[in-house]
Amino acid sequence: MAGAGRRSARSRASSSRDDDDAKPNLRPPRGRGRNHTSIGIFNVDLRVLLGLSVIAFFAILFLIYNLINPIEKAQTPRVVTPFPAPKLMDLPQFQGEHKESLYWGTYRPNVYLGIRARTPRSLIAGLMWISIKEGRYVMRHVCQDSDELSKYGWEQHDGRSFGHQVIVDQDMNLATSFLKSKGEDSGYGGDWAVRIDVQNHKSKGNEELSTSAHLFFYLADEDGNALNIGGDTLEIHENSLLASGSRMDIGSWQLHLKSQDDLEVHYAGFKTPHIHNLSDLVQENLGLQVRKFGRLQLPDTFDDSPNILVFQISARTPFRTDVAFISGTGLESARLEERVGSHTGTSLTSQLKEKQREFDAKFGKSFNLVDKLDSESIVAGKAAIGNLLGGIGYFFGQSKIAISGNMNPGNHDDSILYWPAELYTAVPSRPFFPRGFLWDEGFHQLLVWRWDIHICLDIIGHWLDLMNVDGWIPREQILGAEALSKVPSDYVVQIPTNGNPPALLLALNDLVHGLKKNKFTAAESDAISSFLERAFVRLEAWFQWFNTTQSGKEVGSYYWHGRDHTTTRELNPKTLTSGLDDYPRASHPSEDERHVDLRCWMLLAADCMHSIAELFEKENKSGKEYGNTVKLLSDFEILNQMHYDDAYGTYLDFGNHTEKVRLVWKETTVGHNYATRELVREVLESPKLRLVPHIGPVSLFPFIARIIPAESRILEKQLDLILNRSILWTKFGLRSLAKTSSLYMKYNTEHDAPYWRGPIWMNMNYMILSSLHHYSRVDGPYREKARTIYEDLRGNLIRNVVQNYHKNGFFREQYDQRNGKGKGARVFNGWTSLVLLIMAEAYSS
């Protein structure tokens, strides 16, 4: 149309000139005078101006429209576009009473005791205390391994309204208890109380510490709302009010302190948005007081309109104090004195004892360990579930995502922010990993659903709501300032082409099978069914993301994308996306790779999707496709053709590989002829396409997935492999890499110690044990052999973890395959808690 318009304009101009030349004198001379000329010019200008005005008018309209309504679809990259479906957290089951019942909690796992609400900008509370290390005062607040506490962790926690924690810091013993309740006069979310019981063991030296203690309890408003101090001087025996304030979510509130002991209370108020640096702020303030006045106490002053109040509670040990948070205090019927009394003193003691009895009863009902194990194992089992539930956190923020085309996670300039999102999740480790990890969470939920199905669905729902339009979920969630403060900047950016094992499907698969076998109450079944029905479209997208982005060259093959094929410093390029980090794969990453573990994860995913489709009679095209995928991936002959090595008697990865790779020192010159040395990779022969001869848990994934027929000789070979002391078996559990592997316990770089190259990991041992349990119960020639191995492995795992817990006070990230001692993260309450399911003999479907 534009071309046609231009041609007609030119034709009109040409015929006009021809007419003038042919008949120059037809008009009288008068008509060519001044007036006529002026009017002619005016007419032409008017048409042009009108045209320009119309164009300008529409241009202005266009600009105004786009200022008011930005073209988000064109501007927002797909990677940060939310999945276009109703959110799971908008389901009615997650609203109303459920949402309010979980509003307050110990949802700050990165600090020794931290309370917040499940809202993006909350009123938060927490505890600090002073200790002495190497003759110097130090502040305890954020969970840090360098604090070298002898013990800390939740010995009991119900995930909702109660928790009891014991902290041992040198000679100081702090017992912290949390209690939440909801009365008819309470504000939204109810009231809560914290009891702090301080004891001191006798010790040589440190006379000051052995006779007194300094605690610091604080409140901080993330919204910046002003907090009011209870009085100029805090005489708690005359007036228990410490602070008050008001918020949109909970209305008016008050904080009270009660104790029968002789306490000295001081305070300081600060105005700052940087709440994650609070311990530094308090230390600086105390240091100033010591330098000016020679006393270790807060100054009893506050900034204008402070949003943080810190209360120093000092007393000679032993002493006990109760802190009560009362909401809805603006109501005429608030009954403040009565409610403060019910959350402190003897009333609080009675309620805490009742909550402990309820916890013990629920533990017994959920895991049924009586008559199965000794008392030491049961104590450790309670700590396993208590620590996992007490480590559940609430986070809000925006993930950093690498922009497509530059996948270097250390390049912060080439990243983009995900949409603002909330996450309610358990965490692997409070001091080391106090944030959400996608594949870890699948194992966590194997325990949580058995304890509280509604909390489990809530957590999985939050994770699935983080899905983008492509069906991708960032594998590590670093949301908010507190979470960011624990992560080196180079590891913050998430790469949108990288996946993580879809382990959430382990828990969902259990729920689907539980529905089919009527294991749940009617209310629980309704909640699970409505959840799965809404989740189905997201789970489909997740499956398709894996099926398209992680597929291999051959039909039915898959490999973990994201390995670095250009590295010159890694002995074997890591596969972080698999969750098994430095577990050895093909020496030279390529598109020809086939990873047997991912193939089995895809079978689990397809089988779970097929089961959900059957449950809701979704006999559509996609339902049939899942069935076909299950049939393909469970085909024993195809599996063996792709991954089985008869010489090794096991399943192996496939790829471009050579065993002749080593790390060697190489001298390089930098700067002004300055010589330095670095450890670099040296390849001594060209790689070739072959099965990769490294044996470990990956080799047992077809066994874990139960693809191997019960009567197959290959099953016997897998059992022999497990039992072989030169390969995987130890008296503490199964190794993560065969002792015969060329990379067994080898450093991957100068500084990367072996991680998945020998030590014992509880999640892999649990999955292998689960399949041993399965094969020990199905008819076949190897049933008794599987039973014997199962009982021995189960006993070894329980004995070693329980002994470590009672000796050292913690669950550990991994265990040394040579002596059974705990290794890695010292407080790892994530999938190591699976030892409780091993005790209960509760395995995945």
Side-chain angles (χ1 to χ4, degrees):
M1 291 296 292
R6 286 194 295 270
R7 285 194 298 274
S8 61
R10 283 197 297 270
S11 299
R12 284 194 298 271
S14 176
S15 58
S16 173
R17 285 193 299 271
D18 290 345
D19 288 345
D20 288 342
D21 290 340
K23 300 176 181 178
N25 297 315
L26 288 177
R27 293 176 183 175
R30 186 177 54 186
R32 299 186 61 163
R34 181 179 176 186
N35 290 340
H36 177 79
T37 304
S38 298
I39 292 172
I41 294 171
F42 178 79
N43 287 338
V44 173
D45 289 348
L46 180 62
R47 287 195 298 270
V48 172
L49 287 172
L50 284 172
L52 290 173
S53 299
V54 170
I55 293 169
F57 175 76
F58 283 106
I60 292 168
L61 278 181
F62 180 82
L63 288 171
I64 292 171
Y65 175 82
N66 284 288
L67 284 171
I68 298 172
N69 303 291
I71 311 175
E72 292 190 11
K73 288 186 178 178
Q75 295 175 347
T76 305
R78 288 182 64 85
V79 72
V80 293
T81 301
F83 188 77
K87 294 177 70 174
L88 283 155
M89 295 319 300
D90 290 338
L91 279 168
Q93 63 180 287
F94 298 128
Q95 310 306 312
E97 184 180 348
H98 169 87
K99 190 172 185 177
E100 185 176 3
S101 72
L102 292 173
Y103 196 63
W104 291 106
T106 54
Y107 299 142
R108 299 173 63 216
N110 63 306
V111 296
Y112 291 114
L113 178 65
I115 299 162
R116 68 166 296 130
R118 294 203 321 172
T119 187
R121 301 186 67 78
S122 170
L123 188 67
I124 66 172
L127 176 69
M128 308 180 199
W129 70 92
I130 287 178
S131 184
I132 292 179
K133 185 176 181 179
E134 298 174 354
R136 299 179 62 185
Y137 288 117
V138 290
M139 184 70 77
R140 308 299 201 202
H141 178 215
V142 176
C143 297
Q144 297 181 112
D145 198 51
S146 58
D147 286 348
E148 298 179 339
L149 301 192
S150 302
K151 180 179 182 180
Y152 67 92
W154 299 98
E155 295 185 346
Q156 298 169 310
H157 202 297
D158 65 5
R160 288 183 174 271
S161 60
F162 163 73
H164 178 73
Q165 178 180 219
V166 174
I167 302 170
V168 180
D169 183 4
Q170 299 184 78
D171 297 322
M172 185 185 294
N173 188 314
L174 291 91
T176 66
S177 299
F178 170 76
L179 179 81
K180 184 174 66 176
S181 66
K182 172 71 171 152
E184 59 182 22
D185 298 320
S186 301
Y188 186 82
D191 307 328
W192 51 261
V194 170
R195 167 164 289 176
I196 309 166
D197 199 324
V198 185
Q199 306 284 335
N200 236 337
H201 307 297
K202 292 182 179 179
S203 66
K204 296 177 182 178
N206 292 341
E207 185 63 24
E208 164 68 15
L209 187 62
S210 66
T211 58
S212 65
H214 303 281
L215 310 179
F216 300 83
F217 195 88
Y218 63 85
L219 277 180
D221 194 308
E222 292 180 317
D223 247 343
N225 295 312
L227 310 182
N228 304 313
I229 198 77
D232 293 334
T233 58
L234 298 176
E235 299 290 343
I236 63 161
H237 293 295
E238 297 177 8
N239 180 10
S240 65
L241 180 65
L242 288 180
S244 62
S246 181
R247 285 179 55 89
M248 291 292 292
D249 52 352
I250 58 173
S252 298
W253 57 265
Q254 291 183 2
L255 187 74
H256 291 259
L257 178 70
K258 288 271 195 177
S259 178
Q260 296 299 312
D261 297 302
D262 186 16
L263 308 182
E264 185 177 347
V265 181
H266 297 278
Y267 64 88
F270 308 99
K271 178 71 174 178
T272 175
H274 304 299
I275 293 173
H276 66 284
N277 292 328
L278 184 54
S279 47
D280 294 335
L281 195 63
V282 174
Q283 286 184 89
E284 290 169 8
N285 195 280
L286 285 172
L288 185 63
Q289 293 298 303
V290 170
R291 289 191 297 273
K292 277 188 174 182
F293 307 109
R295 59 193 184 205
L296 190 68
Q297 67 181 49
L298 293 175
D300 295 327
T301 61
F302 53 86
D303 298 340
D304 292 337
S305 302
N307 66 315
I308 300 172
L309 292 177
V310 184
F311 300 96
Q312 180 178 349
I313 305 164
S314 303
R316 300 180 74 85
T317 56
F319 70 91
R320 173 193 289 175
T321 184
D322 299 331
V323 179
F325 179 84
I326 309 298
S327 61
T329 58
L331 300 174
E332 291 184 8
S333 59
R335 299 182 299 111
L336 284 178
E337 188 174 343
E338 180 184 338
R339 288 165 63 193
V340 171
S342 70
H343 287 80
T344 57
T346 56
S347 178
L348 179 59
T349 301
S350 298
Q351 291 180 75
L352 289 173
K353 286 181 178 177
E354 179 59 28
K355 286 289 185 181
Q356 287 175 333
R357 286 191 290 268
E358 289 176 6
F359 174 88
D360 289 341
K362 186 167 185 177
F363 179 84
K365 183 180 178 181
S366 299
F367 302 107
N368 193 26
L369 299 189
V370 178
D371 301 329
K372 283 187 178 180
L373 296 161
D374 57 29
S375 59
E376 280 195 347
S377 297
I378 292 173
V379 168
K382 288 179 179 179
I385 189 65
N387 274 314
L388 186 67
L389 295 169
I392 292 175
Y394 175 89
F395 308 91
F396 183 85
Q398 293 176 269
S399 293
K400 279 189 175 182
I401 312 298
I403 297 174
S404 179
N406 189 330
M407 294 304 154
N408 179 8
N411 192 329
H412 311 296
D413 295 331
D414 288 341
S415 65
I416 189 171
L417 291 176
Y418 224 47
W419 62 88
E422 59 181 349
L423 180 63
Y424 172 64
T425 184
V427 303
S429 170
R430 289 170 64 189
F432 287 94
F433 312 113
R435 53 192 179 277
F437 286 79
L438 181 55
W439 95 294
D440 294 63
E441 200 55 33
F443 293 101
H444 300 163
Q445 294 313 305
L446 292 176
L447 288 119
V448 175
W449 80 253
R450 290 173 166 89
W451 179 266
D452 190 320
I453 189 64
H454 302 289
I455 289 179
C456 171
L457 294 175
D458 198 315
I459 288 174
I460 296 177
H462 272 89
W463 272 101
L464 293 180
D465 280 346
L466 292 172
M467 182 178 292
N468 76 2
V469 68
D470 293 320
W472 175 72
I473 303 172
R475 69 187 184 92
E476 186 173 349
Q477 295 292 325
I478 310 164
L479 306 177
E482 281 195 322
L484 279 166
S485 68
K486 299 286 286 186
V487 185
S489 59
D490 285 351
Y491 296 93
V492 170
V493 179
Q494 303 295 297
I495 301 174
T497 55
N498 291 357
N500 218 202
L504 289 176
L505 296 175
L506 291 170
L508 291 177
N509 207 41
D510 279 358
L511 300 185
V512 172
H513 283 273
L515 283 179
K516 291 181 176 179
K517 295 180 179 179
N518 296 315
K519 286 186 176 180
F520 302 107
T521 65
E524 289 172 340
S525 295
D526 288 344
I528 296 167
S529 295
S530 62
F531 179 90
L532 290 174
E533 194 158 19
R534 178 168 288 193
F536 190 77
V537 65
R538 290 177 181 269
L539 295 174
E540 278 196 305
W542 201 22
F543 179 88
Q544 291 304 327
W545 184 88
F546 274 100
N547 205 35
T548 54
T549 68
Q550 309 296 298
S551 58
K553 281 187 173 181
E554 295 190 30
V555 175
S557 71
Y558 300 88
Y559 71 98
W560 296 106
H561 289 47
R563 299 185 71 207
D564 185 357
H565 66 277
T566 64
T567 181
T568 59
R569 289 182 172 83
E570 291 182 273
L571 181 60
N572 186 275
K574 291 192 291 294
T575 316
L576 296 173
T577 50
S578 72
L580 307 180
D581 295 21
D582 66 345
Y583 182 90
R585 310 280 182 165
S587 61
H588 290 67
S590 71
E591 295 180 356
D592 294 299
E593 285 190 87
R594 302 197 295 261
H595 293 153
V596 65
D597 56 330
L598 181 51
R599 190 181 196 276
C600 294
W601 280 117
M602 292 306 297
L603 172 58
L604 165 71
D607 186 53
C608 186
M609 294 305 297
H610 186 242
S611 296
I612 298 173
E614 283 186 329
L615 192 69
F616 297 109
E617 298 180 349
K618 293 181 180 289
E619 291 300 329
N620 51 22
K621 183 180 177 182
S622 63
K624 292 177 181 177
E625 285 178 356
Y626 294 127
N628 292 335
T629 304
V630 170
K631 186 176 179 180
L632 171 67
L633 297 180
S634 60
D635 189 297
F636 192 47
E637 289 187 11
I638 296 175
L639 169 69
N640 291 341
Q641 290 168 12
M642 285 189 174
H643 290 286
Y644 187 71
D645 186 292
D646 194 57
Y648 286 95
T650 192
Y651 296 93
L652 303 172
D653 287 338
F654 178 87
N656 202 26
H657 182 75
T658 175
E659 283 286 280
K660 294 187 177 181
V661 180
R662 65 183 183 182
L663 293 176
V664 296
W665 287 103
K666 181 180 178 182
E667 286 196 0
T668 58
T669 303
V670 295
H672 300 290
N673 297 322
Y674 174 74
T676 185
R677 294 202 315 158
E678 62 178 353
L679 203 58
V680 298
R681 185 165 96 145
E682 182 177 70
V683 180
L684 302 176
E685 74 172 12
S686 297
K688 63 180 181 180
L689 292 175
R690 56 176 290 192
L691 290 170
V692 181
H694 295 293
I695 298 172
V698 165
S699 309
L700 295 173
F701 258 82
F703 173 79
I704 291 169
R706 303 170 194 175
I707 303 171
I708 306 170
E711 67 280 359
S712 171
R713 282 293 303 275
I714 291 178
L715 177 59
E716 183 182 30
K717 290 186 177 182
Q718 292 272 279
L719 295 174
D720 289 340
L721 196 73
I722 292 170
L723 201 54
N724 192 324
R725 294 177 184 273
S726 297
I727 299 178
L728 297 179
W729 187 270
T730 78
K731 60 182 180 180
F732 312 109
L734 300 181
R735 296 182 181 95
S736 53
L737 184 63
K739 198 174 180 181
T740 54
S741 169
S742 61
L743 295 185
Y744 176 72
M745 293 305 292
K746 292 283 183 69
Y747 270 64
N748 203 46
T749 68
E750 180 183 357
H751 303 293
D752 286 351
Y755 199 46
W756 286 87
R757 295 185 179 178
I760 296 161
W761 291 82
M762 193 56 58
N763 60 336
M764 289 295 104
N765 275 265
Y766 171 79
M767 293 176 78
I768 293 166
L769 199 64
S770 179
S771 286
L772 282 168
H773 185 259
H774 164 76
Y775 283 112
S776 74
R777 294 160 64 90
V778 298
D779 291 335
Y782 313 111
R783 179 175 181 173
E784 289 307 314
K785 188 171 189 175
R787 165 58 63 179
T788 300
I789 298 172
Y790 165 76
E791 289 176 349
D792 289 347
L793 180 57
R794 175 176 176 266
N796 289 345
L797 290 165
I798 293 171
R799 181 169 53 257
N800 189 58
V801 173
V802 170
Q803 286 178 356
N804 267 272
Y805 175 76
H806 285 286
K807 183 178 180 180
N808 303 309
F810 303 105
F811 294 106
R812 299 297 292 263
E813 182 180 15
Q814 53 184 209
Y815 293 87
D816 194 300
Q817 71 277 17
R818 295 160 296 193
N819 53 34
K821 291 182 179 179
K823 294 182 67 177
R826 198 163 67 104
V827 184
F828 195 92
N829 303 312
W831 57 44
T832 302
S833 300
L834 290 168
V835 69
L836 173 55
L837 296 188
I838 293 172
M839 293 177 184
E841 298 187 274
Y843 302 108
S844 294
S845 303

